[in-house]
Amino acid sequence: MTTTAEIHPSALIDDAADIHPSCHIGPGTIVGPEVSLAEDVELGARVILEGPVTVGSGTRIAHGAIIGGLAQDFKVTADSPSAGVRIGSGVWIKELAIVHRATSPDTPTDIGDGVFVMSQAHVGHDCRLDEGSMLTTLAALGGHVHVGAKAIIGGGTLVHQHCRVGRLAMITGGIGLPREVPPFVVVGARNTMHGLNLIGLRRSGMRREDISALRRAYREFLHVSRSREEVVSGLRAIAAEGFEPVGELADYYATGSRPVVDGVGTPPNQFRRWLSSFGLITLREGEADDTDG
């Protein structure tokens, strides 16, 4: 442990912790072994860091946050090997937020540079939050969730384990989300997307012609009910005209294994199953067993 850092006398710091001299550690905070803090890290009062945890430069962790606790997984014990938690640079983790350590010994729970985790949010084990993404107050991620760069998850939203949220997507608050969310879209209700995140796309500096191509792609292939194969082939046809973001959207659909949220032009699952019972429509592959709607 470095002794020249600004550490409150009531903090409990393990001698094996690696703390940069420029760090600030508040009262009652506990830092265990296998914890590494880079320059200018600030820990508020009563923060708990259980290793392995690495924290990048300029990151702030506010009062009462708990980082690196044991994963909420029945197969995990206190002796289970874990790659822990990696927190990037310039991250802000607010009051009472929780980030659990990985169940994998090779890949940590990963909080990318510039991520904002607001108060009382929960990041489950083995999650990955890419650069600049935001998890709003009381939002919770199940294990193995991947949140893309600059995506925003609204307050109180619950994301099912193993789901993906694409980059620059925006999810409203207070909903359960058992399905995956494509890049660039807005999800305004359970399992339903309501268009593109146009404000986010413009702020990101995306070309106007790319945004226009995404609007066309959404209107023709995401707004209405289509099979995954139809969506992928249609999006790739548009991407071949020189629109890389549409190609990213196609790759997202091509690589997923879980159901994806529907556009507002698609009838709800139960209604589709009812229509199929009369032979009026044909369900997509796997939809008969999909109870997420």
Side-chain angles (χ1 to χ4, degrees):
M1 181 186 72
T2 304
T3 58
T4 54
E6 187 176 320
I7 301 174
H8 193 275
S10 65
L12 300 177
I13 313 297
D14 193 281
D15 289 337
D18 180 14
I19 299 174
H20 192 275
S22 60
C23 292
H24 298 260
I25 300 178
T29 285
I30 300 173
V31 178
E34 298 184 275
V35 173
S36 176
L37 307 181
E39 60 271 21
D40 297 319
V41 169
E42 297 183 14
L43 306 181
R46 297 174 297 282
V47 173
I48 298 176
L49 269 64
E50 301 182 57
V53 174
T54 62
V55 182
S57 61
T59 286
R60 296 174 288 173
I61 302 177
H63 312 315
I66 302 175
I67 312 297
L70 197 64
Q72 295 179 150
D73 188 317
F74 284 123
K75 71 177 180 290
V76 172
T77 68
D79 298 327
S80 297
S82 172
V85 177
R86 188 202 75 87
I87 298 175
S89 299
V91 173
W92 198 0
I93 297 177
K94 292 293 288 177
E95 296 84 0
L96 302 176
I98 294 174
V99 181
H100 281 162
R101 73 180 74 165
T103 58
S104 165
D106 304 312
T107 305
T109 301
D110 196 344
I111 310 294
D113 294 346
V115 167
F116 192 1
V117 178
M118 293 190 185
S119 59
Q120 301 182 69
H122 173 84
V123 179
H125 60 84
D126 302 284
C127 284
R128 173 179 156 197
L129 279 68
D130 288 347
E131 178 180 0
S133 56
M134 182 184 297
L135 191 60
T136 314
T137 298
L138 290 172
L141 307 181
H144 302 275
V145 170
H146 178 197
V147 179
K150 297 184 179 179
I152 299 174
I153 298 178
T157 289
L158 312 176
V159 182
H160 194 281
Q161 59 263 32
H162 294 281
C163 280
R164 298 176 299 165
V165 176
R167 79 176 181 101
L168 285 169
M170 185 171 185
I171 302 170
T172 191
I175 61 173
L177 196 62
R179 291 186 173 201
E180 295 198 323
V181 177
F184 316 128
V185 305
V186 173
V187 172
R190 179 182 173 91
N191 294 332
T192 308
M193 51 183 157
H194 290 77
L196 295 175
N197 180 15
L198 293 174
I199 293 176
L201 296 178
R202 291 166 183 150
R203 287 177 176 173
S204 74
M206 185 177 291
R207 299 186 310 165
R208 179 175 296 181
E209 51 266 40
D210 283 327
I211 295 176
S212 295
L214 284 171
R215 296 181 75 165
R216 173 186 162 197
Y218 180 87
R219 182 174 61 251
E220 295 181 6
F221 296 102
L222 306 189
H223 178 69
V224 295
S225 180
R226 293 184 182 272
S227 70
R228 191 182 292 255
E229 291 76 14
E230 289 175 323
V231 171
V232 171
S233 62
L235 294 177
R236 284 185 170 157
I238 296 175
E241 300 174 20
F243 302 113
E244 290 186 9
V246 181
E248 180 180 341
L249 198 56
D251 290 342
Y252 177 93
Y253 274 88
T255 57
S257 58
R258 290 188 57 80
V260 180
V261 294
D262 286 320
V264 291
T266 303
N269 288 2
Q270 292 179 348
F271 184 48
R272 291 203 297 274
R273 286 193 286 270
W274 181 79
L275 290 175
S276 72
S277 69
F278 293 96
L280 299 176
I281 66 171
T282 301
L283 294 178
R284 298 177 301 218
E285 182 179 355
E287 191 174 11
D289 299 323
D290 176 13
T291 58
D292 293 338

